[in-house]
Amino acid sequence: MTTEVPIETWRGRGFASAWSAEDNARAAAALEDGGLVVLPDCAFAIGPDERRFLDPRWLDGSRKNIGLDGERIGGSTARGDDARALHAMIARFAGEASSLVERLLPDYASHVRRARTSFRPATASGRALSWRKDDTRMHVDAFPSRPNRGERILRVFCNVNPSGEDRVWRVGEPFAAMASRFLPSIRPMRPGEAALLAALQVTKGRRSEYDHAMLALHDRAKRDEEYQRASPQREVRFAPGTTWLCFSDQVMHAAMSGQHMMEQTLHLPLAALRHPERSPLATLERLRGRPMV
Ligand SMILES: [Fe+2]
């Protein structure tokens, strides 16, 4: 089993660049193999009037990012004209990220559902958090309250740091290696558990066996100090002006440091993948030997 995930890098490409069919295939292959696509020259332009937003004081303290979910802006202290200008900046990134996905990943374009767009003006490290919320520990993304039944989480990130500071990740071993390590000790869901969680409105919709396993993998990996320290991993640095993409439900990642980042989340049905058999769902079902949704 390989111990490194692929990283495909294209220099000189921006949000509106044209891509060949060969580029499209290479990008989709890297992502679906659990790797990263990195575009070091794909900068999101922050206007002179928007520079002031690169400051954690715009966070209202309820969470670590300012988010756009449809027309609403959340998590910010900005009001009035400030709120409108901040909204416009984040919405512009949503548009740029979507047009990048349309051009770079045209097979996905008609299937993706745009979810949250967020702006993170706080530093990636330096907050005292519980181990479960500590994203400096390697993990795959899984949402406790929103079961996705195997649907993919595609994320587009851009480092917008104005003072030259890289965003630094650790990228871990391939998903299958991580899952083989932890899945055997994860208990199946209890009978009635999914219905109970939905009835109590802990989850929006029914949690599947897949969602249950993904949450447990997220927790197992984060909680395991030895795994965090000694499992296969490498540092990946994203300089300011770099945009990168990955399926964050598949790439073992940890955000070690950096400040000021834009992020777009997109959901993609399994049917839109070139290789659904490489997805986390297919991998977990192979390991478990039975369907999980
Ligand atoms: Fe994450």
Side-chain angles (χ1 to χ4, degrees), residues 14-15 39 41-47 50 54 86 88-97 117 119 157-161 240-243 261-263:
F15 288 105
L39 310 175
D41 305 308
C42 185
F44 175 65
I46 304 263
E50 293 170 335
L54 301 176
L86 190 52
M89 180 180 90
I90 301 171
R92 199 172 69 248
F93 179 75
E96 300 257 62
T117 316
F119 165 50
F157 304 92
C158 183
N159 182 358
V160 294
N161 188 284
T242 301
T243 293
M261 183 180 71
M262 308 297 300
E263 180 185 323

Side-chain angles (χ1 to χ4, degrees), residues 54 61 91 155 293:
L54 301 176
R155 287 189 148 158
V293 291

Side-chain angles (χ1 to χ4, degrees), residues 38-286:
V38 182
L39 310 175
D41 305 308
C42 185
F44 175 65
I46 304 263
D49 290 350
E50 293 170 335
R51 282 276 186 133
R52 65 201 161 102
F53 294 129
L54 301 176
D55 189 323
R57 76 186 167 92
W58 298 101
L59 286 164
D60 71 7
S62 66
R63 52 183 200 230
K64 54 194 172 182
N65 55 60
I66 297 169
L68 205 64
D69 213 343
E71 282 309 294
R72 221 175 48 81
I73 189 166
S76 178
T77 55
R79 295 291 176 267
D81 286 347
D82 288 334
R84 278 185 285 278
L86 190 52
H87 186 286
M89 180 180 90
I90 301 171
R92 199 172 69 248
F93 179 75
E96 300 257 62
S98 292
S99 70
L100 173 65
V101 169
E102 277 165 29
R103 290 158 208 264
L104 177 61
L105 301 158
D107 288 357
Y108 298 169
S110 59
H111 301 278
V112 288
R113 223 176 56 247
R114 195 194 276 185
R116 260 177 88 75
T117 316
S118 46
F119 165 50
R120 301 186 172 209
T123 54
S125 55
R127 273 168 60 111
L129 296 162
S130 70
W131 60 263
R132 187 174 275 126
K133 288 185 176 171
D134 181 0
D135 288 338
T136 68
R137 296 172 188 234
M138 289 187 295
H139 64 283
V140 285
D141 289 347
F143 304 128
S145 62
R146 281 166 291 160
N148 66 24
R149 313 181 67 81
E151 194 175 61
R152 307 305 312 276
I153 306 170
L154 178 63
R155 287 189 148 158
V156 183
F157 304 92
C158 183
N159 182 358
V160 294
N161 188 284
S163 43
E165 189 183 348
D166 291 350
R167 190 141 193 113
V168 183
W169 274 20
R170 284 187 295 149
V171 173
E173 63 183 346
F175 182 87
M178 180 278 293
S180 316
R181 192 185 304 250
F182 293 111
L183 191 67
S185 64
I186 292 171
R187 67 161 176 84
M189 289 184 94
R190 299 186 181 95
E193 188 174 349
L196 183 65
L197 290 169
L200 295 173
Q201 297 185 326
V202 174
T203 56
K204 289 186 196 117
R206 239 179 133 85
R207 184 178 289 176
S208 64
E209 200 64 57
Y210 169 79
D211 294 292
H212 169 81
M214 289 296 284
L215 286 166
L217 290 172
H218 169 277
D219 288 1
R220 288 295 168 89
K222 275 192 175 175
R223 203 173 56 195
D224 189 330
E225 305 279 356
E226 176 65 12
Y227 180 76
Q228 291 293 327
R229 194 183 56 75
S231 67
Q233 56 191 278
R234 61 179 149 161
E235 184 184 87
V236 182
R237 306 184 76 91
F238 307 102
T242 301
T243 293
W244 66 104
L245 300 89
C246 71
F247 282 116
S248 63
D249 54 359
Q250 186 171 5
V251 177
M252 286 296 285
H253 62 283
M256 304 312 293
S257 66
Q259 185 175 13
H260 305 305
M261 183 180 71
M262 308 297 300
E263 180 185 323
Q264 176 66 54
T265 301
L266 302 143
H267 296 302
L268 187 70
L270 280 171
L273 299 174
R274 291 184 177 211
H275 294 286
E277 76 280 3
R278 296 178 192 170
S279 66
L281 174 63
T283 303
L284 296 182
E285 288 185 338
R286 266 197 304 277

